[in-house]
């Protein structure tokens, strides 16, 4: 039985792809096998239902959305049917992801040649539909050049095998006769250069080209046939590819050198400009970028072959570097640096979703596809690029330039208005004039993404009326009723029809109430950051992947960042999803762990954690909330209550230690009774500080530890008052040669549940020569933020600003213990208190332990303290999600490497994420099985390093492993053995 989806949530998700368009389907089919796929197609055609095929929905031109029925092949029609290494052929179903083909061929030294930037999630069916290319199409060809045969169904319901040779066209009556009647027209206008993808590629049907029906159908964008299976050609993998990086003054100069570079028969020639590199360098979580040769634009040229050894390839690469019209050159053999450089270019598709970030802070505006892959013959590229950038300047349009320059294909997304004003002038005028420029330079409107809804209307500006008429005649031979992907190529919809943003209403921020979105104009703009490139759907194909843990566990797009963004976008038009209280929206957000990985890993800067918090706030404001929000969402309050009652912590532990009571309470509050309640520590962190004594300074009895508890002036107006003057005696004040002050901020978790990390931080910093100050207890409001209780979160944050603000404005570092709470100070604090200058000061002063120890301005005196020698110590390190995404774990990685420890660094969420793991145990466990639990099983004797309380809790409850904080590890073996 074919699975059909027609609920509002799934229709919302399938209404968009990676283009600018939104068309709501009536139903979505997810066939389980090829028999069901065949039956589904035939039933739709028999009923006269419009039909659109879809893989992972990464079409930039709107080719995987449509009215009527959308058939998703990616769920189960995704099998590799056969692989013949000796013949270098593979037969696959249409839902197979390109990355799976590469994995299958790798043991035999083979791969599929085309490699679009979305290769980790793009399917074969979609790649066939668009005639996908990628960087290596220059050497190994487009998809059309690598297809041997296909089993297809056309609009009549005829099933046939598309092949080549004598009689191959007979399966479509009238096709050969139509071609033979138009030989001159086809020879004149079709197939004039490698990247001419627009329209129907009729050149493949010419007798001199072997009457290749399979190649012709590639790039027909689902308007002629639906693919059941395809047999593809594989190519040998180069043995030792060498990367040549060439620097130029600008992209035009780089483009001018492309014909010379192509004479050296490279595998790929990619181009990017300095603004792309600058933008990536300032993206959270990226880390250090490899150094590039001098210049404002670069060509990345890959040299190699399956037969040449490294020495031979290096010699050819050096010859190329010498011949290039630049002296800014870099030749790299296979290395991590070369891989990182390629990754910069690969991320361009997502980075291009915003205009370039400028050093003055301007830029970073929404940029959209629609004119993102025009191509011209490489010898015309520099002239086209000059004219195109002139047009951009004339019409005040901006975008990030990059692309497959060796093939003459230029990628750019533009900040054209796509809302209500899109059809009124500037957007349409720009696109029409850009199309005329392509025609002037004998190019193609599309170089690999297909024309789709974005460019089909413009085809008459590229082709003659005679060829446009021929396209219509061809369409009639395959699909006379226009049921297959209607509105594309033939009888196209207007390019400004069905724009997603045109129906979106503005949802302004709630001043002083909800989140602010300083990088976006409003909530509507924030959720429309998602351009649909779908990187969140590919994390199972990528090493070091973090996003999106719930999707990795369930495989359902509603549980991926893109799926949730699409549902939120539907809230802005109020049709399928009515408002923030719509149960379909709450269902889509339910399994979001608020891990914030998307804020760093998604190229568009989506922050689903903030969107979820804002949505829950708007949904439940002044209304009854989910029961777990009252227990775990308000956990800091329960902790404070337990501390105020003599013996309260022990009493709580005793009550929750009784299984039937815990089960009853958990069920009452919507938690899974298989979980254990957090253990309230019998001695709070501050009680330990008072009992321990020593050098750590804590506020005296009756003091709030503040210079000015009501201080709201700017940092400049605060003066140079010593922030600890009111709580530390005069004879202990630091002098220029005294120990540097540092504040250790213990969050609610570190204060009352798991104080060992905070204790270790104090001990380590004192050992390292710091004067440690312990400010009064202040909660950051994290649990309130994640459950959307933003009014309560702000109240906590205002009190926190009173306590930490004086420290921050006086330049005293504030070291956080718990990563999620530290990240709240660095990120959410400013967005919930945008008008409080103390929030910005605290965000700037807050640091992790590793950052304090590694920053030259705050690092300890090496004569006083050095990193311990941990050679021979094996460490399994679980970075907290917020540590990775907001704070960055690069500093911790380098610090651990400097100790000599053997570190197994895990990538991905542990699966706990606060109340999420308490409510969704099965999904939580599946997430933990992605990285955490296998690593703990594989390394049973390793030290488990986890700064995050949630991470340690998950490991303890799921695997019986005890985790330690970084500070405890750095105190040395004797410390963490007894921890």
């Amino acid at each position: 039985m074919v699975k059909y989806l027609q609920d509002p949530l799934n229709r919302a998700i399938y209404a968009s792809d990676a283009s600018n368009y939104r068309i709501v389907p009536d139903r979505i089919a997810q066939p389980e096998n090829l028999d069901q796929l065949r039956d589904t197609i035939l039933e739709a055609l028999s009923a006269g239902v419009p039909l659109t095929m879809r893989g992972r929905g990464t079409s930039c031109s709107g080719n995987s959305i449509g009215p009527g029925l959308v058939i998703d092949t990616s769920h189960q029609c995704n099998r590799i049917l056969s692989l013949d290494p000796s013949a270098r052929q593979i037969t696959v179903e249409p839902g197979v992801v390109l990355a799976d083909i590469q994995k299958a061929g790798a043991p035999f030294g083979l791969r599929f040649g085309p490699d679009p930037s979305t290769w980790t999630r793009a399917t074969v069916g979609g790649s066939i539909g668009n005639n996908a290319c990628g960087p290596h199409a220059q050497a190994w060809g487009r998809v059309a050049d690598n297809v041997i045969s296909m089993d297809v169904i056309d609009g009549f319901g005829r099933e046939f095998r598309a092949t080549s040779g004598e009689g191959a066209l007979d399966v479509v009556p009238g096709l050969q006769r139509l071609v033979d009647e138009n030989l001159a027209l086809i020879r004149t206008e079709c197939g004039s250069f490698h990247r001419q993808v627009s329209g129907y590629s009729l050149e493949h049907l010419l007798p001199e080209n072997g009457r290749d029906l399979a190649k012709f159908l590639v790039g027909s964008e689902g308007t002629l046939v639906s693919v059941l299976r395809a047999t593809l050609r594989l190519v040998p993998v180069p043995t030792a590819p060498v990367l040549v990086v060439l620097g130029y003054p600008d992209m035009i100069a780089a483009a001018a050198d492309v014909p010379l570079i192509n004479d050296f028969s490279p595998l790929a020639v990619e181009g990017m400009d300095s603004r792309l590199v600058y933008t990536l360098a300032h993206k959270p979580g990226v880390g250090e970028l490899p150094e590039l040769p001098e210049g404002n634009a670069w060509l990345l040229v890959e040299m190699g072959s399956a037969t040449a050894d490294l020495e031979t390839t290096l010699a050819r690469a050096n010859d190329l570097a010498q011949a290039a019209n630049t002296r800014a050159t870099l030749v790299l053999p296979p290395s991590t640096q070369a891989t990182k450089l390629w990754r910069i270019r690969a991320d361009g598709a997502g980075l291009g979703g915003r205009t370039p970030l400028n050093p003055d802070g301007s830029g970073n505006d929404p940029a959209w596809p629609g004119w993102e892959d025009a191509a011209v013959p490489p010898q015309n590229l520099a002239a086209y690029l000059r004219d195109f950038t002139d047009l951009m300047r004339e019409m005040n349009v901006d975008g990030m330039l990059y692309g497959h320059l060796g093939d003459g294909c230029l990628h750019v997304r533009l900040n054209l208005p796509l809302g209500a004003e899109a059809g009124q002038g500037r957007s349409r005028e720009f696109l029409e004039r850009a199309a005329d420029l392509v025609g002037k330079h004998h190019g193609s409107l599309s170089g690999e993404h297909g024309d789709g809804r974005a460019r089909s209307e413009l085809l008459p500006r590229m082709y003659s009326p005679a060829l446009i008429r021929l396209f219509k005649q061809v369409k009639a031979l395959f699909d006379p009723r226009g049921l297959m992907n209607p509105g594309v190529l033939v009888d196209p919809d207007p390019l400004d029809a069905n724009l997603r943003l045109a129906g979106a209403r503005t949802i302004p921020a709630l001043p002083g109430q909800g989140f602010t979105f300083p990088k976006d104009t409003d909530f509507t703009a924030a959720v429309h950051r998602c351009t649909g490139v779908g990187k969140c759907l590919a994390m199972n194909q990528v090493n070091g992947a973090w996003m999106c843990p719930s999707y990795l566990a369930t495989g359902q797009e509603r549980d991926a960042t893109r799926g949730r963004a699409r549902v939120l976008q539907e809230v802005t038009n109020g049709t399928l999803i009515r408002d923030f209280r719509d149960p379909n929206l709450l269902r889509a957000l339910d399994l979001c762990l608020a891990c914030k990985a998307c804020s760093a890993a998604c190229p568009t800067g989506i922050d689903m954690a903030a969107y979820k918090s804002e949505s829950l706030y708007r949904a439940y404001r002044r209304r009854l909330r989910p029961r777990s929000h009252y227990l775990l969402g308000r956990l800091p309050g329960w902790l404070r209550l337990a501390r105020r009652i003599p013996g309260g912590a022990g009493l709580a532990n005793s009550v929750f230690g009784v299984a039937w009571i815990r089960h009853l309470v958990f069920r009452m509050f919507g938690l899974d009774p298989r979980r254990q309640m957090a253990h309230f520590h019998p001695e709070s962190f501050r009680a330990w500080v008072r009992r321990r004594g020593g050098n750590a300074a804590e506020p005296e009895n009756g003091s709030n530890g503040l210079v000015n508890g009501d201080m709201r002036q700017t940092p400049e107006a605060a003066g140079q008052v010593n922030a600890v003057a009111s709580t530390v005696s005069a004879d202990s004040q630091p002098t220029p040669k005294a120990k540097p002050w540092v504040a250790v901020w213990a969050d609610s978790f570190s204060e009352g549940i798991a104080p060992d990390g905070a204790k270790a931080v104090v001990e380590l910093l004192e050992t390292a020569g710091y004067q440690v100050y312990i400010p009064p207890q202040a909660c950051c409001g994290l649990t309130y933020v994640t459950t959307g209780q933003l009014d309560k979160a702000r109240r906590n944050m205002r009190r926190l600003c009173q306590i930490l603000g004086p420290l921050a404005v006086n330049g005293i570092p504030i070291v956080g213990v718990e990563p999620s709470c530290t990240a709240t100070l660095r990120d959410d604090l400013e967005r919930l208190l945008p008008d409080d200058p103390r929030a910005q000061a605290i965000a700037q002063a807050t640091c992790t332990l590793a950052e304090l120890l590694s920053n030259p301005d705050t690092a300890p005196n090496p004569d006083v303290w050095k990193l311990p020698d941990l050679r021979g110590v094996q460490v399994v390190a679980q970075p907290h999600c917020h540590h990775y995404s907001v704070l960055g774990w690069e500093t911790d990685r380098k610090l651990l490497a400097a100790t000599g420890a053997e570190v197994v660094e895990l990538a991905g969420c542990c699966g706990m994420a606060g109340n999420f793991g308490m409510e969704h145990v099965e999904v939580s466990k599946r997430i933990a099985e992605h990285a955490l639990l296998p690593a703990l099983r594989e390394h049973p004797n390793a030290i488990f390093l986890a700064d995050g309380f949630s991470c340690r809790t998950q490991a303890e409850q799921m695997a019986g492993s005890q985790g330690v904080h970084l500070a405890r590890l750095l105190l040395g073996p004797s410390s963490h053995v007894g921890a």
Side-chain angles (χ1 to χ4, degrees):
M1 180 71 70
V2 177
K3 181 180 180 181
Y4 285 97
L5 309 171
Q6 49 191 7
D7 59 289
L9 191 151
N10 279 294
R11 291 172 69 211
I13 290 171
Y14 283 86
S16 297
D17 51 15
S19 71
N20 301 324
Y21 300 95
R22 172 185 178 270
I23 299 178
V24 180
D26 293 333
R27 292 199 300 174
I28 302 99
Q30 293 180 340
E32 295 181 1
N33 51 54
L34 293 188
D35 288 336
Q36 286 191 3
L37 175 58
R38 177 186 297 105
D39 292 345
T40 304
I41 294 170
L42 293 176
E43 286 175 11
L45 293 173
S46 176
V49 174
L51 173 66
T52 300
M53 303 298 291
R54 180 178 173 117
R56 287 294 182 88
T58 57
S59 170
C60 295
S61 57
N63 272 329
S64 51
I65 57 174
L69 179 67
V70 169
I71 301 179
D72 182 351
T73 63
S74 68
H75 272 260
Q76 298 192 62
C77 292
N78 53 11
R79 302 168 186 84
I80 294 175
L81 301 175
S82 66
L83 171 62
D84 185 344
S86 59
R88 297 178 182 172
Q89 293 182 10
I90 189 169
T91 300
V92 297
E93 295 178 346
V96 170
V97 173
L98 297 184
D100 291 328
I101 297 179
Q102 311 300 32
K103 288 181 181 178
F108 308 101
L110 300 173
R111 56 162 293 159
F112 187 52
D115 54 350
S117 62
T118 54
W119 67 276
T120 54
R121 59 270 195 198
T123 62
V124 167
S127 301
I128 288 172
N130 292 346
N131 199 4
C133 298
H136 292 97
Q138 181 165 355
W140 299 322
R142 307 156 297 178
V143 169
D145 303 311
N146 291 276
V147 166
I148 297 170
S149 67
M150 298 190 296
D151 292 356
V152 300
I153 297 175
D154 70 5
F156 287 97
R158 299 176 300 207
E159 181 177 348
F160 56 86
R161 177 161 294 177
T163 57
S164 61
E166 190 65 31
L169 308 191
D170 294 345
V171 292
V172 183
L175 181 59
Q176 182 165 327
R177 176 183 55 79
L178 187 62
V179 170
D180 290 345
E181 289 174 353
N182 293 275
L183 291 175
L185 178 63
I186 296 171
R187 287 167 176 155
T188 302
E189 296 197 40
C190 297
S192 60
F193 74 107
H194 191 229
R195 284 298 186 103
Q196 186 177 337
V197 168
S198 285
Y200 292 137
S201 298
L202 293 166
E203 70 275 9
H204 295 298
L205 302 181
L206 293 170
E208 62 267 30
N209 292 332
R211 304 281 195 189
D212 199 321
L213 181 59
K215 285 181 170 55
F216 160 72
L217 290 173
V218 174
S220 59
E221 306 184 25
T223 64
L224 303 181
V225 298
S226 295
V227 178
L228 297 179
R229 75 179 78 200
T231 298
L232 310 172
R233 179 174 70 95
L234 302 178
V235 297
V237 176
T239 53
V242 173
L243 180 63
V244 182
V245 186
L246 306 171
Y248 296 90
D250 53 43
M251 285 287 280
I252 296 173
D257 224 15
V258 164
L260 183 150
I261 303 300
N262 283 347
D263 288 341
F264 286 82
S265 301
L267 296 175
V269 181
E270 297 292 287
M272 61 185 184
D273 72 0
S274 58
R275 298 204 296 170
L276 184 151
V277 177
Y278 181 86
T279 301
L280 183 62
H282 288 79
K283 191 175 186 303
V286 170
E288 292 185 25
L289 297 182
E291 188 174 348
L292 289 157
E294 183 180 355
N296 292 314
W298 296 272
L299 293 180
L300 278 64
V301 185
E302 189 175 56
M303 304 290 291
S305 74
T307 56
D309 58 20
L310 179 59
E311 183 179 357
T312 301
T313 303
L314 274 172
R316 290 180 57 229
N318 283 309
D319 289 343
L320 184 154
Q322 287 294 319
N325 290 303
T326 177
R327 298 280 63 84
T329 65
L330 178 66
V331 178
L332 293 172
S335 62
T336 301
Q337 185 179 6
T339 301
K340 287 182 177 180
L341 283 168
W342 273 118
R343 189 171 299 164
I344 294 174
R345 175 42 205 98
D347 279 344
L351 291 172
R354 313 291 293 182
T355 59
L357 179 66
N358 298 315
D360 63 2
S362 63
N364 195 35
D365 299 321
W368 309 102
W371 193 258
E372 80 290 341
D373 76 321
V376 298
Q379 63 271 21
N380 300 345
L381 181 59
Y384 166 72
L385 190 52
R386 184 178 295 107
D387 287 349
F388 182 70
T389 52
D390 286 346
L391 177 63
M392 291 174 65
R393 281 190 292 270
E394 177 189 339
M395 298 196 66
N396 193 29
V397 171
D398 198 9
M400 200 176 299
L401 299 172
Y402 59 98
H404 314 301
L405 268 58
D407 262 351
C409 183
L410 182 69
H411 288 319
V412 61
R413 295 178 182 228
L414 304 166
N415 59 343
L416 293 170
L418 293 178
E421 56 191 311
Q424 298 175 5
R426 192 158 69 99
S427 295
R428 173 172 283 278
E429 179 188 355
F430 182 92
L431 294 172
E432 290 175 347
R433 291 180 62 181
D436 292 339
L437 280 181
V438 163
K440 171 185 173 182
H441 294 282
H442 310 290
S444 178
L445 304 178
S446 173
E448 63 180 338
H449 296 163
D451 298 306
R453 303 178 186 281
R455 291 173 285 273
S456 292
E457 184 196 347
L458 300 173
L459 285 172
R461 293 174 178 267
M462 174 182 168
Y463 291 124
S464 69
L467 191 59
I468 296 296
R469 286 194 299 271
L470 183 57
F471 287 166
K472 291 184 177 181
Q473 292 173 289
V474 170
K475 169 77 169 176
L477 294 177
F478 287 84
D479 179 34
R481 294 178 293 170
L483 295 177
M484 309 196 81
N485 208 8
V488 172
L489 288 182
V490 173
D491 296 324
D493 290 340
L495 59 85
D496 44 14
N498 302 309
L499 290 170
R500 184 169 55 251
L501 273 173
R505 69 183 189 275
T506 298
I507 300 180
L510 299 174
Q513 297 176 27
F515 266 95
T516 58
F517 299 95
K519 297 178 181 179
D520 303 284
T521 55
D522 51 45
F523 186 77
T524 300
V527 299
H528 278 89
R529 276 179 170 265
C530 178
T531 57
V533 294
K535 188 177 179 182
C536 52
L537 306 179
M539 293 295 95
N540 61 327
Q541 303 283 8
V542 180
N543 292 328
W546 285 81
M547 164 185 75
C548 176
S550 54
Y551 176 74
L552 285 173
T554 70
Q556 300 296 316
E557 186 166 345
R558 68 170 182 265
D559 299 322
T561 306
R562 186 177 76 172
R564 295 185 180 108
R566 292 310 192 209
V567 177
L568 284 166
Q569 288 168 6
E570 287 294 318
V571 173
T572 69
N573 64 52
T575 53
L576 290 173
I577 309 296
R578 298 187 311 275
D579 53 34
F580 288 100
R581 295 192 297 276
D582 192 305
N584 288 293
L585 171 63
L586 300 176
R587 179 181 163 207
L589 294 176
D590 185 43
L591 293 186
C592 173
L593 287 81
C595 68
K596 287 184 177 285
C598 51
S599 67
C602 176
T604 64
I606 283 284
D607 186 354
M608 192 53 63
Y611 305 165
K612 178 181 180 180
S613 295
E614 180 73 10
S615 298
L616 293 177
Y617 177 67
R618 292 178 184 250
Y620 295 116
R621 188 173 176 234
R622 298 171 184 158
R623 294 180 178 86
L624 286 175
R625 292 180 157 271
R627 291 164 293 169
S628 64
H629 290 194
Y630 296 103
L631 183 62
L632 296 183
R634 299 182 180 181
L635 185 59
W638 298 117
L639 285 169
R640 286 193 298 271
L641 179 63
R643 288 199 302 272
R644 288 171 183 164
I645 299 174
L651 177 62
N653 293 334
S654 298
V655 169
F656 282 108
V658 178
W660 72 266
I661 297 178
R662 187 183 74 253
H663 289 182
L664 178 65
V665 173
F666 275 26
R667 287 195 176 97
M668 183 183 304
F669 284 95
L671 307 181
D672 194 307
R674 289 174 290 180
R675 283 289 191 182
Q676 299 295 317
M677 185 60 179
H679 186 80
F680 290 19
H681 203 280
E683 182 181 51
S684 71
F685 168 65
R686 275 167 180 73
W688 172 82
V689 171
R690 290 190 291 271
R691 178 177 59 81
R692 172 178 177 268
N695 295 323
E698 192 198 10
E700 299 172 357
N701 291 335
S703 169
N704 64 5
L706 306 180
V707 174
N708 179 357
D710 193 36
M711 188 188 73
R712 292 184 179 276
Q713 65 265 40
T714 63
E716 291 78 7
Q720 297 300 313
V721 181
N722 192 307
V724 295
S726 63
T727 58
V728 184
S729 62
D731 60 358
S732 69
Q733 293 305 302
T735 66
K737 294 183 180 180
K739 296 179 179 180
W741 282 100
V742 60
V744 174
W745 171 60
D747 52 274
S748 297
F749 300 102
S750 302
E751 174 66 25
I753 298 179
D756 184 71
K759 295 176 187 177
V761 171
V762 170
E763 293 171 356
L764 178 71
L765 293 181
E766 287 183 343
T767 302
Y770 294 93
Q771 177 66 58
V772 178
Y773 172 64
I774 311 298
Q777 170 64 20
C779 175
C780 66
L782 169 68
T783 60
Y784 300 116
V785 172
T786 56
T787 53
Q789 302 181 72
L790 299 185
D791 293 330
K792 291 183 179 295
R794 267 190 304 276
R795 285 198 289 273
N796 278 268
M797 289 177 173
R798 290 192 183 103
R799 181 176 184 275
L800 179 140
C801 284
Q802 290 180 329
I803 293 172
L804 299 185
L807 301 170
V809 299
N810 285 283
I812 294 180
I814 301 169
V815 179
V817 178
E818 166 65 33
S820 57
C821 295
T822 307
T824 299
L825 267 57
R826 287 260 281 262
D827 183 24
D828 296 332
L829 183 65
E830 288 186 84
R831 292 198 283 173
L832 286 170
L833 298 178
D835 299 324
D836 192 330
R838 298 170 301 180
Q840 181 179 6
I842 292 169
Q844 293 173 347
T846 299
C847 61
T848 66
L849 176 63
E851 289 171 339
L852 180 85
L853 299 177
S854 303
N855 187 334
D857 294 331
T858 59
N861 185 337
D863 294 331
V864 176
W865 183 83
K866 291 183 175 64
L867 285 171
D869 184 349
L870 298 180
R871 286 176 293 182
V873 176
Q874 188 177 60
V875 176
V876 171
Q878 170 69 70
H880 190 284
C881 293
H882 292 180
H883 201 151
Y884 156 77
S885 57
V886 177
L887 308 170
W889 209 72
E890 180 73 17
T891 305
D892 295 69
R893 183 182 300 115
K894 290 181 178 179
L895 186 145
L896 287 169
T899 67
E902 179 188 337
V903 179
V904 178
E905 180 184 337
L906 307 185
C909 182
C910 71
M912 189 63 178
N915 61 310
F916 174 89
M918 301 292 287
E919 297 177 65
H920 305 288
V921 171
E922 290 304 321
V923 178
S924 175
K925 185 174 182 179
R926 290 205 295 270
I927 294 170
E929 285 290 353
H930 177 64
L932 174 62
L933 297 182
L936 293 176
R937 289 192 293 265
E938 187 176 346
H939 306 283
N941 299 318
I943 295 173
F944 176 53
L945 173 65
D947 287 357
F949 168 68
S950 284
C951 306
R952 296 194 298 272
T953 300
Q954 182 80 321
E956 181 178 358
Q957 294 193 8
M958 292 280 185
S961 297
Q962 301 292 322
V964 300
H965 192 278
L966 175 64
R968 185 63 65 194
L969 178 70
L970 296 180
L971 281 168
S974 61
S975 174
H976 44 76
V977 166

